Amino acid sequence: MPPVVTRFAPSPTGRIHVGNIRTALMCWLYARRHQGRFLLRLDDTDAARSTEENVAAIRADLAWLGLLPDGELRQSERFDRYEAAFQALRGEGRVYPAYESEEELALKRKVALGRGLPPVYDRAALKLSDADSRRLEDRGVTPHWRFRLDHAAPVTWTDLVRGEQRFDPAKLSDPVVRRADGSWLYMLPSVIDDIETQVSHVVRGEDHVTNTALQLQMFEALGAPTPQFAHMALLVGSDGKLSKRLGATGADALREAGIEPQALLGLLARLGTSDPVEPVADIADLIPGFDFAKLGRAPARFDIAELEALNARTLHLLPFAAVADRLPAGIDARIWEAIRPNLKTLGEAADWWAVIEGPIDEPSFEAEDCTFLAAAADAAAQLDWAASPWQALTAALKQSTGRSGRALFLPLRRALTGRDHGPEMAALLPLIGQTRAIERLRAAS
Ligand code: GLU
């Protein structure tokens, strides 16, 4: 078996969104699972729409996600290779010039559809004589170039997700590989790159399945072995539709919304599989169980509410070391462990830090609670704070006041934190400390 090499091949015409993050993740997981290499290929043949800003953003997004490539290549730096392969194919008659304008092609498609036929290119250009071509070129018509498909046999492969695939090449148009202005379309450069970088597994969305049938013939025409293919079912929103919003949900927006990469990747690794969605503290934990065979063929539903819920569960397991550099100064491991069970996003840690440090909102109390809180302040002053002050305080007050349950706990929580809900008081009270606790209880009484 050749070594595993996968590549993630975004076009830097925009930011990467959840759909291509999932592709990147699958490429990364497969490479890591098989001690292979994971490459980033920037498909920037479209010079007008590709920007350096997007290139930088893609690299930054992958770094944030922890999906670090083992190598990178850019199509815009490889035109000489494409030219050489193109000339070789041209010499063999596998690419040919075609002169139809966009309008003519659109008309041909319309006519075919009107006759109930598939809108497949009729190969009229193949029937032109050299003299015909010269005449057109003399009139200033510059050709674009098509790859001539071999119609002799069906194209078949065993897709790692979709199983046996079979296409009749006669039912497909010879793909345009180069525009009249000499620029490249994605199709052929991708194959040339995959050959040169010895990509063993092409992992991408199922919108590329037909491209694979075409590209398999390009691999063969270039005398190269064919890689394996895994085409993932598309992602849809929770409404079952391929929503615009989902396509537009970029890594940057998710990051700003407080989503942890482990949560996003933990969800994307499991969507469309029968494995349960579980929080992971480290994305490496996703590697051992990864297998394309677990991916179903039905569209996978991406639900932002499910992501938010997983984000909270993920935070609850993250060790201090994993978040320390993003926490407000002053929060140490003990504080982190006390507050993390209450977090939905890491940003909320600052709120709890403020609750510990103060000043807090001072809620007002009924007279009866004020008396109770005055007793609490006295009791707090007597306690041994080295042990478990919350247990000791509540036990003492239970005995002296006869209060229990909500009547005992809620006024204390409100007086000590200014809030009705929050982390376990047993963990919080030692962090608030004796001096501040007594002050807050006195202020409330
Ligand atoms: N640039 C192509 C895309 O983003 C790459 C497809 C592929 O993985 O071959 O759709």
Side-chain angles (χ1 to χ4, degrees):
M1 287 287 269
V4 165
V5 180
T6 61
R7 87 297 193 274
F8 171 51
S11 298
T13 52
R15 297 289 292 246
I16 53 176
H17 51 75
V18 282
N20 30 46
I21 291 172
R22 180 162 170 253
T23 303
L25 172 65
M26 300 292 169
C27 290
W28 182 86
L29 284 172
Y30 195 77
R32 287 291 165 275
R33 175 112 167 81
H34 297 278
Q35 289 78 44
R37 282 161 51 77
F38 163 65
L39 306 178
L40 170 62
R41 189 184 80 203
L42 295 158
D43 284 2
D44 56 352
T45 54
D46 184 345
R49 290 173 58 231
S50 301
T51 68
E52 283 314 304
E53 199 187 340
N54 288 329
V55 168
I58 290 169
R59 291 188 190 123
D61 288 343
L62 289 178
W64 173 65
L65 291 162
L67 305 177
L68 291 176
D70 302 306
E72 179 185 302
L73 61 157
R74 287 181 77 148
Q75 292 197 321
S76 59
E77 290 167 359
R78 301 173 46 78
F79 291 155
D80 53 341
R81 269 118 162 156
Y82 308 152
E83 189 67 53
F86 174 82
Q87 293 305 342
L89 291 173
R90 188 180 168 184
E92 290 159 18
R94 284 310 292 270
V95 294
Y96 62 92
Y99 297 85
E100 292 91 347
S101 65
E102 273 304 328
E103 296 72 36
E104 281 172 276
L105 291 171
L107 189 66
K108 282 184 194 230
R109 280 194 292 268
K110 214 167 139 190
V111 171
L113 288 169
R115 289 191 192 139
L117 298 170
V120 174
Y121 176 60
D122 62 6
R123 292 186 153 180
L126 270 183
K127 292 165 203 125
L128 297 176
S129 66
D130 286 353
D132 293 334
S133 298
R134 227 169 302 122
R135 218 167 307 122
L136 284 162
E137 284 175 31
D138 287 346
R139 285 200 345 236
V141 187
T142 332
H144 54 274
W145 297 82
R146 289 185 183 263
F147 177 77
R148 184 172 57 76
L149 292 170
D150 178 358
H151 288 182
V155 179
T156 60
W157 78 94
T158 307
D159 195 275
L160 296 177
V161 176
R162 298 166 60 84
E164 294 309 314
Q165 302 293 298
R166 189 184 179 91
F167 282 82
D168 176 358
K171 296 204 173 110
L172 303 171
S173 295
D174 288 340
V176 177
V177 292
R178 196 171 194 182
R179 297 186 191 88
D181 66 2
S183 65
W184 301 100
L185 280 106
Y186 140 84
M187 201 77 75
L188 181 62
S190 176
V191 171
I192 296 166
D193 294 340
D194 286 342
I195 294 170
E196 196 175 308
T197 50
Q198 299 180 331
V199 166
S200 63
H201 292 75
V202 173
V203 182
R204 56 191 182 187
E206 68 179 14
D207 49 327
H208 283 288
V209 171
T210 311
N211 288 345
T212 297
L214 308 172
Q215 288 179 320
L216 278 169
Q217 286 213 355
M218 295 180 187
F219 279 99
E220 278 158 24
L222 291 166
T226 53
Q228 304 232 52
F229 287 85
H231 290 93
M232 292 172 299
L234 298 182
L235 276 190
V236 291
S238 48
D239 54 0
K241 292 197 199 117
L242 204 86
S243 81
K244 259 221 168 91
R245 211 177 121 239
L246 183 60
T249 308
D252 49 342
L254 293 167
R255 182 181 182 165
E256 272 158 37
I259 298 296
E260 300 296 317
Q262 294 93 325
L264 177 61
L265 299 181
L267 182 63
L268 290 176
R270 295 288 164 84
L271 280 190
T273 76
S274 50
D275 285 343
V277 171
E278 285 163 341
V280 291
D282 184 339
I283 59 167
D285 297 347
L286 299 167
I287 299 168
F290 180 73
D291 189 345
F292 287 119
K294 289 183 180 173
L295 289 167
R297 290 189 55 175
R301 275 173 196 254
F302 178 84
D303 182 353
I304 217 74
E306 191 178 9
L307 176 60
E308 284 164 356
L310 185 64
N311 197 55
R313 291 169 66 205
T314 303
L315 280 170
H316 305 169
L317 352 140
L318 291 184
F320 177 64
V323 291
D325 57 347
R326 290 189 293 140
L327 290 172
I331 298 191
D332 60 17
R334 200 161 69 116
I335 298 175
W336 170 247
E337 269 151 41
I339 63 180
R340 76 179 174 179
N342 269 76
L343 302 180
K344 291 199 183 75
T345 64
L346 191 83
E348 294 171 355
D351 301 344
W352 293 113
W353 178 229
V355 165
I356 292 166
E357 285 280 279
I360 55 162
D361 298 336
E362 282 179 25
S364 53
F365 292 93
E366 302 284 325
E368 210 184 318
D369 280 340
C370 293
T371 319
F372 167 71
L373 291 167
D378 293 339
Q382 311 292 318
L383 290 183
D384 172 8
W385 279 72
S388 308
W390 177 249
Q391 284 81 347
L393 178 68
T394 50
L397 288 168
K398 191 172 181 175
Q399 207 174 30
S400 64
T401 66
R403 288 198 184 209
S404 63
R406 207 177 140 82
L408 173 66
F409 299 119
L410 188 60
L412 290 173
R413 177 182 282 283
R414 292 180 67 201
L416 288 163
T417 67
R419 302 181 181 209
D420 289 355
H421 306 280
E424 290 286 338
M425 286 304 299
L428 215 48
L429 190 55
L431 303 172
I432 292 169
Q434 187 169 19
T435 314
R436 278 190 296 238
I438 296 169
E439 272 167 24
R440 291 179 193 182
L441 291 167
R442 286 245 183 277
S445 64

